[in-house]
């Protein structure tokens, strides 16, 4: 009938309007949820990477520094694994390291290493190769255990966790590199000297660029360990342990 024919378009229009309203509500909820998520992540990032590093500055925790580092790294590994549901085994599988990424790391180190030697020779010549010359046994112990006890948890915290969890906050790659480097430098504020903070900020940007380019955890682990062991070898290591705090 004519009445039914006139009602059908009206019903269709109402149904369409309801669908559009529903979609608008869903979109608005997603936007609000996304904004809440960003606010939460911003607060989380500020607390963990902004305020937490200040604790050992005012309340030294010399005896439990490595323990605290590992506890934080383990918690972040749990969060990362829960979000991605990926196995942890690839984190220590070195045979998957990209060859071109490794070559770039070695080339950059070949340039940076002599510059670091020149710096310590000019800035603090008394400590020039001090550790291997005067405390050889300690130097060997550091070369063996430092990459595992210190570098591994740091890379979990600052590269694996930070660069993944906060990528929605720092969407531009260059911004992420700078922020990650500054956070890494700030994390070494407990040593209370400009050498440690500035070198770690620069190193953090370097390691973050390797992570962004390759997404290879073993590679950034190796790169960090390479620079760290070199720092302790040439004499800069004094600025990177609690004995440097004045």
């Amino acid at each position: 009938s004519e009445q039914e024919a006139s009602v059908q378009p009206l019903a269709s229009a109402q149904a369409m309007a309801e669908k559009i309203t529903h979609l608008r509500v869903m979109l608005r909820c997603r936007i609000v949820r996304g904004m809440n998520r960003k606010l939460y992540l911003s607060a989380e990032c500020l607390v963990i990477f902004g305020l937490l590093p200040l604790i050992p500055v005012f309340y030294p925790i010399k005896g439990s520094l490595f323990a605290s580092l590992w506890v934080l790294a383990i918690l972040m590994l749990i969060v990362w694994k829960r979000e991605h549901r990926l196995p942890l085994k690839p984190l220590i599988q070195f045979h998957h390291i990209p060859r071109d990424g490794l070559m770039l790391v070695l080339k950059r180190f070949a340039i940076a290493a002599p510059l670091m030697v020149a710096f310590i020779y000019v800035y603090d010549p008394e400590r020039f190769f001090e550790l291997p010359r005067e405390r050889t046994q300690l130097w060997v112990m550091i070369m063996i255990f430092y990459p595992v006890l210190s570098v591994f948890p740091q890379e979990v915290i600052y590269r694996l966790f930070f660069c993944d969890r906060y990528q929605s906050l720092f969407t531009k790659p260059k911004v992420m590199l700078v922020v990650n480097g500054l956070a890494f430098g700030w994390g070494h504020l407990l040593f209370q000297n400009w050498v440690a903070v500035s070198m770690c900020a620069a190193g953090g940007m370097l390691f973050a660029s390797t992570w962004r380019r390759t997404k290879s955890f073993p590679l950034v682990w190796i790169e960090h360990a390479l620079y760290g062991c070199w720092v302790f070898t040439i004499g800069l290591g004094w600025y990177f342990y609690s004995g440097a705090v004045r």
Side-chain angles (χ1 to χ4, degrees):
S1 64
E2 293 182 3
Q3 187 176 1
E4 290 178 348
S6 62
V7 169
Q8 286 180 353
L10 180 61
S12 299
Q14 288 178 343
M16 183 64 70
E18 289 177 0
K19 288 182 179 181
I20 293 174
T21 302
H22 179 67
L23 288 173
R24 288 177 63 185
V25 171
M26 287 183 61
L27 182 61
R28 189 178 302 168
C29 289
R30 288 186 178 182
I31 292 173
V32 171
R33 198 180 301 122
M35 290 176 63
N36 290 339
R37 171 74 172 171
K38 284 191 175 183
L39 286 173
Y40 173 81
L41 289 177
S42 298
E44 178 188 271
C45 183
L46 178 63
V47 170
I48 296 176
F49 295 96
L51 300 181
L52 205 59
L54 294 177
I55 294 177
V57 175
F58 298 102
Y59 303 97
I61 50 174
K62 296 180 182 180
S64 58
L65 183 59
F66 282 116
S68 302
L69 191 65
W70 270 95
V71 167
L72 189 60
I74 290 171
L75 290 174
M76 291 180 173
L77 271 177
I78 293 172
V79 173
W80 180 83
K81 183 173 175 58
R82 182 179 299 174
E83 288 187 349
H84 295 278
R85 300 187 181 279
L86 295 173
L88 299 178
K89 191 175 180 180
L91 300 182
I92 55 174
Q93 290 180 330
F94 292 91
H95 58 280
H96 289 312
I97 293 176
R99 182 179 176 82
D100 56 341
L102 179 60
M103 293 305 298
L104 178 61
V105 165
L106 294 177
K107 288 177 182 178
R108 291 193 304 201
F109 180 73
I111 297 173
L115 295 177
M116 294 164 69
V117 170
F119 172 77
I120 185 64
Y121 182 78
V122 174
Y123 182 74
D124 197 353
E126 293 182 1
R127 303 191 187 280
F128 191 65
F129 283 89
E130 178 184 35
L131 203 58
R133 285 190 296 104
E134 299 183 6
R135 305 183 68 181
T136 307
Q137 188 174 358
L138 175 61
W139 173 71
V140 172
M141 295 281 286
I142 291 174
M143 296 300 104
I144 295 172
F145 293 108
Y146 166 77
V148 176
L149 296 180
S150 182
V151 174
F152 182 86
Q154 287 185 64
E155 286 307 307
V156 167
I157 294 168
Y158 285 95
R159 250 58 67 183
L160 186 70
F161 181 86
F162 188 104
C163 292
D164 177 75
R165 189 164 177 83
Y166 304 124
Q167 60 180 343
S168 62
L169 300 180
F170 313 109
T171 55
K172 294 183 178 180
K174 290 183 179 180
V175 174
M176 172 60 84
L177 296 186
V178 172
V179 173
N180 186 258
L182 293 177
F184 192 56
W186 184 257
H188 289 76
L189 195 66
L190 77 160
F191 299 127
Q192 299 182 37
N193 66 83
W194 73 270
V195 174
V197 174
S198 59
M199 288 190 69
C200 284
M205 294 180 199
L206 196 67
F207 307 150
S209 69
T210 299
W211 172 255
R212 181 177 66 86
R213 183 179 290 105
T214 66
K215 289 295 185 292
S216 172
F217 184 83
L219 183 58
V220 292
W221 182 8
I222 288 175
E223 185 175 32
H224 188 165
L226 191 63
Y227 281 91
C229 288
W230 186 242
V231 159
F232 282 101
T233 298
I234 65 177
L236 283 168
W238 184 84
Y239 295 95
F240 288 84
Y241 65 89
S242 56
V245 178
R246 297 175 181 177

